[in-house]
Amino acid sequence: MPGSNPIAEQPADASAEHASAEPVDAGAEQPREPSPQAPPKPNLALRSWLWLKRYFTEQDPTFWNALLPALVLVAVIYTRSPTTNCIFDEQEALLANPYVNGDHLLWRDAFTRDFWGLPPTGSIGSYRPIPNLIWRALWRLREHPWLPHWVNLMFHAINAALLCRLAMFIAPRKRGFAWLTGFVFLASAVLTEAVTGVVGIADVLGGMGVLLALLCLRLPAWAMPFGVFISLLFGLFSKESAIVAVPLIAWAGLVLAPLMHPKRPLRVPRALLSLVGAVAALVLYTELRKRWFPVALPEELTRPLPASEPLARRALHAFMAWFAQPRLPKDPINNPLVDADMPHRIAGALRVYARGIGQTLFPWKLAGDYSFPQEPIPPRLLTPTIVSGGLAMFLAPLVAIGFWIASLVRVGRERRAADAASESASEPQPEAASASTEFGGEGALWSPRVITYALLALALVWVPIAYFPHSNIPVLLPTVRAERFWYLPVIGLAPLYAWALLYISRWRVLQGASDRMQQLGRWAGVSLVAGFFVFQLQSARMHALDYTNDLVFWRATAQSSSNSAKAHLNYSVMLGARGFMEQRLVEGKKAMELAPEWPMAHIYYGDALCRMQRAGEAWPYYKRGFELNPADQNLISLALQCLWDEKAWEPHKQELLDLADANPGSWLAFLARDLVYNGEKHNGVDPKYRPRGYNEGPKKD
C-alpha cells in the first residue's frame, strides 16, 4: 500500500530472518539504543553536608582528625577584629610589661619576673613564665595584641582536640560522645574571656597541662607518673592554679581506671602513681619558683598558728607558708569580699560559684568585669543562690563518692556476667549476653550505666576542686569573679554535659508508643541539643565581638554589669580618649554614684572637668579623692598635673599645703609640697612621679 512501511508489516520472525540473511552496510549509520539517564549531580551545599556527615560519623576523633574542625570553629566563634587594640589587662600584660615590651631584660628573665614583668619586690602576685616567653616572641614579630590573641585560639582548639581524645578513651565505641565532648568544651560561651582575651593564655595553657596529665593516665603504669609529672609542670609554670590537678589527677586515675584499662584497672596503684607524679611536679615547681622568684611572706604566714586551732586550718597555714604564694593585692572595689567577715565572705563566694555554674549552662549575660557593687557582700547568709552554691561546693564531692562506689559495684557485676557468659555452654541470659558483647579487650565498652556513674563521680569532684582556689574561700583574690576562672572546671563538665546531650538526642517516648510518637520524641531531643549549641555559639560570638576595641569592650561591660562602678569609669575614660567629654561626665558620675567612697571615681570625674577647662569645678572632686586616699601616687600626680596645666593650682595652694600637713609622710604631702615649691622647675609634677599614660610602654624599674 502506498505510504505504508513494508518493514513494519513484516512478522517478527520474518524481520529477524531478513536481518540475518542480508549483509549489513558497515558505512551506514546504525540505530543507537538510548543511554540510561545519569542521576543529577548533588549541589555544592548537599555535597558539603554529605562530606561533613561522613567526616564525623565514619572516623574516630583522633587528635589530628579533631584538630582541623576545632581550628575552623574556634576561628569562626572567637576571632576578634584585626584592628583591635590592647584592652583592659592587656595594657599591663603587653604594653606596660618590661619583659615583653622592654629592651633591657634577657630571655631567661621570664623566670625571675611575674606575669606583668615586675620583679619580686614589686610583684602583684602572679608568676607565669611560659605565657611571658610566648608573648615576648610574638611581640618581636609585631607589636600588636591580635597575634597573641590568635595563639590563644589555636591553643584552645588543641585543648578541644585533646579532650575529644580523652573522651574516646573513656567510651571507645561512643564516637558521637567524643565529638560532642570536644564541641561542648570548644563552644562553651563562659570561656570566651579566656580564649578571646590575650591574658587568658595562662588559663588556656594551664588547662593544656592538666589535659595532657589526664591523657597520661592512659599510659602503662610505669610511664604514667613521668607523663603526669612533665605535663603538670608545664601547667604550673603557665598558671599557678593548675595546682588543683594534684588531687584531681589522682581522683581521675581512680575513677577512670576501669574505662581506660578494662583488662587490668589497678585503680589504687594507678591513682597513687599519678599522685606521686603530680606531687613531684608541685614540689619542683614550688622550690624553683622560690629560688628564682623569692618573695616576702605576708605577716600572717610568718607566725605558726597555735595548737588550739583545728588541724585542717593549721595544715592549710603550713602549706601556704611553704608554697610562698606572692602577695596578692587587696582592693574592695575589685573584690568587695575583702571587707567581709568569714561567714559573709564564704556566702558571697558560694553565690558567685552558683552563678558561674549557671553560666556554663545558660550564659545569658557575659561581662568583662563584675566588681563593686555588681557582686557586693551579701546582706543575708542564706538565700537560694547561696544554698545551691554550698550544695554544689561541699555536698557534691560526697555524692560523687557514692557514684564511684556504684560504678565499682556495676563493674563487678558486669565482669562476673561476662565471665559467666564466656564459660557457659548454654544460651546466655540477656544481661550476660549484653555484658559479654560490651566487655572484652582494650577496646571494650562498659555499659552506659557504668560510664554515667564514672562521669558523675569525676565531674562532681572535679568542678568544686578546680574552682576552689578561685572561690575566695581559702585565700582572697584580687577579683571577686571572672569568667576565665571556669576554664579548668569546664574540662570536667564537658564530658558530663556531652553524655547528657547524647542521651537527649536519642530521646525515646514511653515504651509501647507509636512510631510517630517515637519519631517526634527523637526530633524533640535533637532540637533541644541543637538549641543548646546555638545558644552557646551565639553568646560566645557576641561576647567575642565585645573585644573589637577598648571603647566597645567597656561599653558592653557597662551594659552587662550595669552595677559595676569600674565598668562605667573605664567606659568614661575610653569616651574621653575619643573626645566625647560630655558623655564621659555622664558615665563618670554613674561610677561615682555607685561607689561614693572610691577615690578614683572622684579624681577621674574631676579630671574630666579639668580637661574641659572647668578646673574650678574639678577642685572639690580632686580634694575629696585626696582625702579618701592620700597614698595613691598615680591619682594624686594625675590631678596635680592637670591643675598645673590649666594654671588652676594657685587658688588652691594653701588648701594643698593644709592637706599635706594633715597627711604627713604620704604621697599627697610629698607631691603637693613639691608642686608648690618646685613646680616651675619640673613644669608641674616631677616627670618620674607621673603615671604612665594610656597606650604607653613600660617604665624602667
Side-chain angles (χ1 to χ4, degrees):
M1 179 181 297
S4 64
N5 187 343
I7 297 178
E9 293 179 356
Q10 294 177 359
D13 56 339
S15 174
E17 186 179 318
H18 176 73
S20 61
E22 295 184 4
V24 178
D25 185 0
E29 184 177 352
Q30 301 299 317
R32 298 179 181 175
E33 293 190 10
S35 60
Q37 185 69 29
K41 192 175 183 180
N43 59 32
L44 179 61
L46 181 58
R47 292 202 307 273
S48 301
W49 164 250
L50 293 174
W51 182 85
L52 283 173
K53 185 178 180 181
R54 288 194 301 271
Y55 192 94
F56 292 106
T57 59
E58 296 180 6
Q59 57 183 352
D60 290 339
T62 63
F63 174 77
W64 296 110
N65 287 342
L67 184 59
L68 175 61
L71 286 169
V72 173
L73 285 171
V74 161
V76 171
I77 300 168
Y78 296 106
T79 303
R80 66 200 240 192
S81 171
T83 62
T84 186
N85 57 2
C86 289
I87 297 170
F88 197 11
D89 287 341
E90 296 168 6
Q91 284 275 328
E92 299 297 325
L94 297 177
L95 285 180
N97 189 326
Y99 177 78
V100 173
N101 197 21
D103 55 6
H104 63 291
L105 295 175
L106 302 175
W107 281 89
R108 64 172 179 266
D109 288 331
F111 295 93
T112 63
R113 296 278 167 151
D114 73 357
F115 191 45
W116 316 101
L118 302 175
T121 53
S123 174
I124 57 174
S126 301
Y127 178 76
R128 303 161 190 174
I130 292 178
N132 263 326
L133 287 167
I134 294 173
W135 285 343
R136 182 172 176 136
L138 296 173
W139 206 253
R140 296 299 184 268
L141 297 176
R142 188 186 178 199
E143 295 183 359
H144 195 274
W146 195 84
L147 189 56
H149 143 77
W150 227 95
V151 169
N152 274 26
L153 270 61
M154 290 190 290
F155 287 149
H156 185 55
I158 290 171
N159 285 348
L162 292 174
L163 196 54
C164 274
R165 195 65 187 138
L166 178 67
M168 202 65 192
F169 288 145
I170 293 174
R173 297 185 188 176
K174 296 289 186 181
R175 184 183 292 154
F177 163 64
W179 283 115
L180 275 176
T181 299
F183 192 24
V184 168
F185 177 73
L186 185 143
S188 184
V190 76
L191 305 183
T192 306
E193 180 184 6
V195 180
T196 304
V198 172
V199 178
I201 191 175
D203 300 272
V204 176
L205 290 178
M208 183 180 293
V210 174
L211 277 168
L212 290 171
L214 281 172
L215 285 167
C216 288
L217 297 176
R218 175 69 173 173
L219 296 174
W222 66 268
M224 182 176 59
F226 298 101
V228 170
F229 169 79
I230 295 171
S231 301
L232 191 52
L233 195 63
F234 172 83
L236 285 166
F237 276 108
S238 298
K239 189 175 183 182
E240 59 278 355
S241 61
I243 188 177
V244 298
V246 174
L248 288 179
I249 294 299
W251 176 250
L254 189 68
V255 171
L256 300 180
L259 303 177
M260 291 187 166
H261 303 275
K263 281 187 175 180
R264 298 186 66 199
L266 300 175
R267 299 176 183 85
V268 175
R270 292 185 192 278
L272 291 177
L273 286 171
S274 62
L275 182 61
V276 168
V279 170
L282 174 62
V283 171
L284 181 61
Y285 160 78
T286 303
E287 294 301 326
L288 289 177
R289 175 175 53 77
K290 289 162 68 174
R291 179 185 296 268
W292 294 335
F293 193 76
V295 295
L297 285 177
E299 185 179 351
E300 60 270 16
L301 290 179
T302 59
R303 300 186 304 269
L305 291 179
S308 57
E309 292 289 338
L311 178 61
R313 187 174 179 185
R314 283 185 283 131
L316 178 62
H317 183 274
F319 173 80
M320 293 300 295
W322 169 76
F323 188 65
Q325 169 67 38
R327 189 185 304 271
L328 299 172
K330 296 180 179 180
D331 181 359
I333 291 295
N334 287 319
N335 188 354
L337 299 181
V338 167
D339 294 331
D341 57 26
M342 183 56 74
H344 285 84
R345 169 177 154 186
I346 293 175
L350 294 176
R351 181 186 61 192
V352 169
Y353 179 56
R355 290 175 178 173
I357 293 176
Q359 279 185 313
T360 66
L361 280 171
F362 306 108
W364 300 108
K365 279 187 177 182
L366 298 172
D369 178 76
Y370 292 94
S371 55
F372 180 84
Q374 186 70 29
E375 288 286 357
I377 299 172
R380 292 183 296 145
L381 293 178
L382 295 177
T383 66
T385 307
I386 293 173
V387 171
S388 60
L391 294 175
M393 177 69 75
F394 301 116
L395 183 61
L398 300 178
V399 177
I401 295 173
F403 279 116
W404 174 62
I405 295 172
S407 73
L408 292 180
V409 174
R410 186 71 186 183
V411 164
R413 184 185 303 173
E414 292 185 14
R415 188 183 293 276
R416 289 191 298 271
D419 292 341
S422 63
E423 294 174 2
S424 175
S426 60
E427 188 70 22
Q429 297 299 318
E431 182 181 5
S434 173
S436 65
T437 56
E438 290 179 344
F439 176 73
E442 283 297 317
L445 172 69
W446 296 97
S447 71
R449 188 172 296 181
V450 169
I451 299 173
T452 302
Y453 290 160
L455 291 177
L456 284 167
L458 179 66
L460 292 178
V461 169
W462 186 282
V463 177
I465 291 182
Y467 186 81
F468 192 67
H470 292 132
S471 66
N472 280 294
I473 294 176
V475 292
L476 279 165
L477 300 180
T479 183
V480 67
R481 178 180 176 186
E483 291 157 9
R484 64 181 180 275
F485 294 165
W486 281 91
Y487 201 90
L488 282 179
V490 171
I491 288 176
L493 274 177
L496 182 62
Y497 284 179
W499 190 253
L501 291 171
L502 186 66
Y503 175 80
I504 292 171
S505 69
R506 297 173 179 176
W507 214 343
R508 292 293 183 270
V509 188
L510 292 175
Q511 192 172 7
S514 65
D515 291 343
R516 181 172 178 80
M517 290 299 297
Q518 295 285 4
Q519 188 177 14
L520 287 174
R522 181 163 185 176
W523 275 110
V526 171
S527 298
L528 282 174
V529 173
F532 172 82
F533 281 117
V534 167
F535 187 58
Q536 293 283 343
L537 292 171
Q538 181 186 17
S539 298
R541 185 61 200 148
M542 295 303 295
H543 194 29
L545 290 175
D546 294 342
Y547 288 78
T548 300
N549 57 51
D550 48 10
L551 177 65
V552 173
F553 177 84
W554 285 112
R555 179 174 61 211
T557 304
Q559 292 170 352
S560 299
S561 295
S562 56
N563 287 328
S564 168
K566 183 178 176 181
H568 287 287
L569 186 65
N570 279 290
Y571 182 35
S572 74
V573 173
M574 299 305 111
L575 287 167
R578 289 161 173 81
F580 304 116
M581 299 304 295
E582 291 295 337
Q583 293 94 320
R584 177 183 176 180
L585 283 179
V586 172
E587 293 297 324
K589 188 174 183 181
K590 287 181 183 178
M592 199 164 47
E593 291 170 348
L594 286 167
E597 300 300 312
W598 189 20
M600 184 177 287
H602 291 272
I603 295 288
Y604 273 46
Y605 190 78
D607 193 63
L609 290 169
C610 183
R611 294 177 189 281
M612 295 171 70
Q613 285 77 50
R614 295 161 61 180
E617 298 176 55
W619 172 251
Y621 300 101
Y622 280 155
K623 183 179 179 182
R624 179 58 179 158
F626 295 159
E627 292 169 343
L628 288 170
N629 191 355
D632 195 314
Q633 171 195 339
N634 289 330
L635 286 179
I636 295 166
S637 59
L638 176 75
L640 293 178
Q641 187 60 42
C642 190
L643 288 173
W644 179 273
D645 292 340
E646 296 299 321
K647 299 179 175 54
W649 69 277
E650 285 199 41
H652 307 289
K653 175 180 177 179
Q654 189 57 48
E655 290 179 272
L656 283 171
L657 294 175
D658 291 342
L659 286 169
D661 293 338
N663 297 276
S666 66
W667 273 108
L668 175 60
F670 173 78
L671 292 173
R673 291 194 180 102
D674 190 60
L675 181 79
V676 170
Y677 300 121
N678 301 308
E680 292 292 342
K681 176 182 177 182
H682 301 303
N683 194 24
V685 177
D686 190 334
K688 65 183 178 183
Y689 299 123
R690 297 178 192 177
R692 182 181 63 86
Y694 192 70
N695 280 335
E696 284 186 3
K699 284 191 168 187
K700 298 291 184 183
D701 292 340

